[in-house]
């Protein structure tokens, strides 16, 4: 196995306060929607926190797999089936490399991060936690990292505890410590980056606190993987999930990484073809990731994820200033909102990654977003699948702007103009 690199703690380390912004981002050509590459499908798209666009080269690879790689992996001895199975394992190794050269047998393919979290609920939390146990999650979470734990608490004697936030909107580590000290905590489920205000959680502190009290840690890395991948083994967490569609892959594929020890503790969940072998009349459950991947996999989406990992690596090499540019564009968006009297920033987290949200004052947030859409700017509005956090700032909802690797100053110019027009007409 290749040597493991240092943890990519840039997800936990503030980037420089300023950096270069280019007026024309060459990465936009990767999303060209005309043969002469004079127009791009991502102009004005500021909603990558919801889903990222798929670069042309990745869409082409998915189409190629659908045309030529249609064998059913692991379900046949002919050439196409064998080739399809090899493609799945190549993708598994690509994900393992992305996560810091972890053991590829620790990588489970799912539909998305939501399915990965629910797999942990069903296959680990429900069988492992009983009366007197507790699960801790936080007010920063997407619904997908709250509802499964609420469901366990409703159906069993497991207690659910919610760690709060401080005045800036950051995770309140003192409150988390207090909840752990109360005892019985078997699992801490926490996001790496808020999908609302982009606040970046100090995961090293969370993992350290959890370890002191013997709790497993699940990290929802959905909002950070497109910007700065996390290395779970170095971080010391037990489970990590993310979705392909938030890192330039097609929808329909996600990842659950589970440490070898945690995976050994997991029980079978969804069952079906591929998760079992038959010995006489009795099933023999497979071990490793296949136990948790019943049924025919989404080979095209999985191939797309592998292609997206390679594409993102290549873009970072071609454009070494990519991360700084994303950060600078986000800081400019923050300045635009702060300088607009009708709007107010939701939270001032100590470190922001990828997105920010704002209240629209007397203007309905959905109406505000619809107006921006008419001006060619696409953002998200509402409760952002994170109602507990959003309602802390504005019960009606917020508007969120998020940055992708393809955005440039032109997108922010258009955003600024659209915001000013919207406020002048709607306020």
């Amino acid at each position: 196995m290749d040597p493991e690199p240092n943890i990519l703690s840039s997800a936990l380390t503030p980037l420089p306060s300023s950096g270069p912004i280019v007026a024309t981002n060459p990465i936009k050509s990767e999303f060209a929607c005309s043969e002469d590459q004079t127009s791009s499908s991502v102009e004005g798209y500021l909603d990558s926190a919801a889903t990222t666009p798929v670069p042309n080269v990745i869409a082409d690879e998915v189409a190629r797999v659908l045309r030529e790689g249609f064998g059913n992996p692991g379900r046949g001895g002919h050439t196409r089936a064998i080739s399809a199975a090899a493609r799945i394992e190549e993708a598994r190794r690509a994900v393992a490399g992305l996560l810091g050269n972890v053991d590829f047998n620790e990588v489970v393919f799912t539909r998305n991060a939501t399915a990965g979290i629910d797999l942990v609920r069903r296959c680990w939390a429900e069988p492992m936690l009983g009366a007197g146990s507790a699960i801790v999650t936080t007010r920063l979470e997407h619904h997908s990292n709250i509802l499964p734990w609420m469901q366990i608490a409703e159906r069993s004697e497991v207690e659910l505890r919610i760690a709060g936030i401080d005045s800036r909107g950051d995770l309140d580590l003192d409150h988390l410590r207090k909840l752990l000290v109360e005892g019985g905590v078997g699992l801490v489920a926490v996001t790496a980056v808020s999908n609302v205000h982009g606040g970046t959680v100090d995961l090293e502190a969370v993992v350290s606190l959890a370890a002191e009290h013997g709790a497993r840690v699940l990290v929802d890395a959905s909002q950070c993987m497109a910007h700065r991948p996390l290395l779970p083994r170095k971080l010391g967490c037990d489970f990590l999930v993310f979705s392909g569609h938030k890192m330039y892959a097609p929808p329909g594929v996600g990842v659950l990484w589970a440490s070898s020890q945690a995976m050994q503790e997991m029980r079978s969940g969804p069952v079906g073809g591929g998760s079992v072998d038959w010995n006489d009349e009795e099933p023999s459950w497979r071990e490793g990731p296949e136990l948790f991947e019943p049924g025919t996999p989404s080979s095209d989406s999985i191939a797309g994820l592998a292609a997206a990992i390679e594409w993102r690596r290549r873009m970072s090499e071609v454009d070494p200033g990519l991360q700084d540019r994303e950060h600078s564009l986000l800081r400019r968006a923050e300045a635009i909102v702060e300088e607009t009297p009708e709007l107010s920033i939701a939270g001032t987290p100590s470190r922001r990654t990828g997105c920010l949200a704002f209240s629209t004052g007397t203007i309905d947030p959905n109406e505000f977003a619809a107006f921006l859409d008419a001006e060619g700017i696409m953002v998200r509005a509402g409760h952002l699948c994170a109602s507990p956090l959003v309602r802390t700032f504005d019960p009606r909802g917020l508007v969120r702007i998020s940055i992708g690797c393809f955005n440039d100053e032109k997108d922010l110019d258009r955003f600024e103009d659209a915001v000013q027009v919207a406020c002048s007409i709607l306020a």
Side-chain angles (χ1 to χ4, degrees), residues 353-387:
T353 298
C355 66
L356 62 85
F358 54 90
S359 173
T360 50
T362 61
I363 308 170
D364 179 87
N366 291 292
E367 184 180 2
F368 190 92
F371 190 97
L372 263 58
D373 186 39
E375 296 292 311
I377 294 296
M378 290 157 274
V379 295
R380 175 80 183 274
H383 289 93
L384 313 180
C385 294
S387 292

Side-chain angles (χ1 to χ4, degrees), residues 82-303:
I82 293 171
S83 177
R87 190 179 301 111
I88 297 293
E89 294 315 304
E90 288 172 6
R92 204 183 302 277
R93 291 175 185 272
V95 173
L98 176 71
L99 297 178
N101 295 323
V102 299
D103 184 343
F104 66 90
N105 286 311
E106 297 172 338
V107 174
V108 178
F109 288 121
T110 64
R111 294 191 313 279
N112 45 43
T114 298
I117 294 171
D118 203 53
L119 200 61
V120 175
R121 172 195 66 82
R122 181 171 178 174
C123 300
W124 186 87
E126 287 186 347
M128 293 293 293
L129 304 180
S133 298
I135 296 171
V136 174
T137 187
T138 85
R139 197 171 186 84
L140 293 172
E141 307 306 314
H142 189 281
H143 293 162
S144 296
N145 206 20
I146 299 175
L147 295 176
W149 319 126
M150 291 180 65
Q151 195 172 65
I152 287 182
E154 291 168 357
R155 296 176 178 177
S156 70
E157 297 180 59
V158 175
E159 179 187 0
L160 178 61
R161 303 171 189 167
I162 308 293
I165 58 175
D166 62 21
S167 59
R168 296 177 64 96
D170 285 321
L171 176 62
D172 188 336
L173 292 173
D174 289 334
H175 189 212
L176 174 62
R177 181 181 294 105
K178 178 180 177 181
L179 296 180
L180 287 163
V181 167
E182 290 177 10
V185 178
L187 179 69
V188 176
V190 62
T191 188
V193 172
S194 164
N195 75 303
V196 175
H197 57 41
T200 307
V201 173
D202 186 347
L203 291 176
E204 290 173 326
V206 171
V207 170
S208 178
L209 285 171
E212 289 176 14
H213 298 274
R216 296 274 192 218
V217 177
L218 179 149
V219 174
D220 177 1
S222 299
Q223 291 297 327
C224 74
M225 295 302 289
H227 303 283
R228 301 168 196 92
L230 291 178
L231 308 184
R233 185 191 294 159
K234 196 73 174 177
L235 179 62
C237 64
D238 303 281
F239 305 100
L240 182 141
V241 300
F242 63 90
S243 292
H245 76 92
K246 294 185 188 293
M247 51 178 296
Y248 307 99
V253 61
V255 167
L256 163 64
W257 172 86
S259 69
S260 296
Q261 184 176 354
M263 188 175 287
Q264 289 174 4
E265 295 172 349
M266 293 173 70
R267 303 295 181 262
S268 62
V271 295
S275 64
V276 66
D277 293 312
W278 285 90
N279 296 320
D280 296 326
E281 297 299 321
E282 295 296 326
S284 174
W285 300 109
R286 292 184 177 177
E287 297 181 354
E290 289 183 334
L291 177 60
F292 309 104
E293 299 173 345
T296 299
S298 298
S299 299
D300 54 335
S301 295
I302 292 172

Side-chain angles (χ1 to χ4, degrees), residues 341-423:
E342 294 85 355
L343 310 180
S344 57
I345 289 278
T348 57
S350 55
R351 292 168 290 186
R352 242 189 250 280
T353 298
C355 66
L356 62 85
F358 54 90
S359 173
T360 50
T362 61
I363 308 170
D364 179 87
N366 291 292
E367 184 180 2
F368 190 92
F371 190 97
L372 263 58
D373 186 39
E375 296 292 311
I377 294 296
M378 290 157 274
V379 295
R380 175 80 183 274
H383 289 93
L384 313 180
C385 294
S387 292
L389 181 59
V390 169
R391 290 178 182 277
T392 300
F393 300 111
D394 191 330
R396 298 177 312 155
L398 301 169
V399 173
R400 182 187 67 198
I401 173 175
S402 49
I403 302 298
C405 68
F406 51 85
N407 288 122
D408 58 20
E409 188 178 5
K410 180 180 177 182
D411 295 314
L412 271 293
D413 288 342
R414 295 174 67 183
F415 172 72
E416 183 173 19
D417 292 343
V419 163
Q420 299 308 316
V421 175
C423 289

